[in-house]
Amino acid sequence: MTHTGLQTAMAHCGLIAILRGITPAEAVPVAQALYQAGFRLIEVPLNSPEPLVSIRAMRDALPADCLVGAGTVLDAAEVARIKDAGGELIVMPHSDLAVVRAAKAAGLASCPGVATPTEAFAALAAGADALKMFPAEQLGPAVLKAWRAVMRPPIALMPVGGITPDNLATYAQAGASGFGLGSALYQPGLSATEVGRNARAFMAAWQRAYPAQETQA
């Protein structure tokens, strides 16, 4: 990783909250509940209602040590709009090198989705700060362990898809640097209190899996 803000956030806790479907009205209370639980990375997928409004609201409401950004970024042209909204993180389901380069040119952290070593190394060469292993259910801990043999730290490998408090440790043992958390953390309609409860369960799992990393909420 070369993006200082992402490095700092992941040193605190490598869990990315994926808030697919969140509305601007929910954005601030949910984000504050996540921050209070210890999260420092929040992603609003662009296929959510008014995602840039939510990103701006979160960015204005949260301390600077929490990175807020966009997910499901499919086009390099979207990067400038995300930055204008206060976004600092570009997360993708795929590995479009044009989007990676646009994010880096804008000074934003880039986390493309990769499913093969060829995609992974190409993304790193283009400037990716972290690699989203997606979908994690398909790749699994065995693939992660094999990748880790040739993609040594500080390359950040982050499984996304199907991660729960119960299976997080298995991926951690295989070499995961962090995780993207979707429906097991947040689903549309959940209250901030419910999201906070889910977040604390993930934080407890994180601390058990990475006991040397002293995360503080």
Side-chain angles (χ1 to χ4, degrees), residues 22 24 44-58 69-71 85:
I22 197 164
V44 179
L46 291 184
N47 55 1
S48 303
E50 299 185 274
L52 300 182
V53 177
S54 292
I55 289 171
R56 170 51 66 190
M58 292 179 185

Side-chain angles (χ1 to χ4, degrees), residues 76-197:
E78 295 171 331
V79 171
R81 293 191 288 272
I82 293 162
K83 183 176 182 178
D84 288 345
E88 302 150 294
L89 175 66
I90 301 295
V91 183
M92 308 150 56
H94 63 330
S95 188
D96 185 333
L97 302 186
V99 179
V100 174
R101 295 188 183 106
K104 299 311 297 175
L108 309 184
S110 170
C111 186
V114 295
T116 69
T118 298
E119 289 180 340
F121 282 113
L124 291 169
D129 296 289
L131 299 175
K132 170 183 173 178
M133 296 186 69
F134 179 77
E137 302 103 317
Q138 175 184 340
L139 297 171
V143 170
L144 171 57
K145 184 177 180 180
W147 285 25
R148 187 49 93 191
V150 294
M151 300 178 204
R152 306 303 302 167
I155 295 172
L157 299 178
M158 306 185 71
V160 178
I163 303 301
T164 68
D166 292 333
N167 67 16
L168 184 151
T170 302
Y171 286 90
Q173 291 163 6
S177 308
F179 302 89
L181 310 175
S183 59
L185 174 67
Y186 170 84
Q187 297 181 49
L190 290 183
S191 68
T193 299
E194 291 169 317
V195 176
R197 185 181 306 119

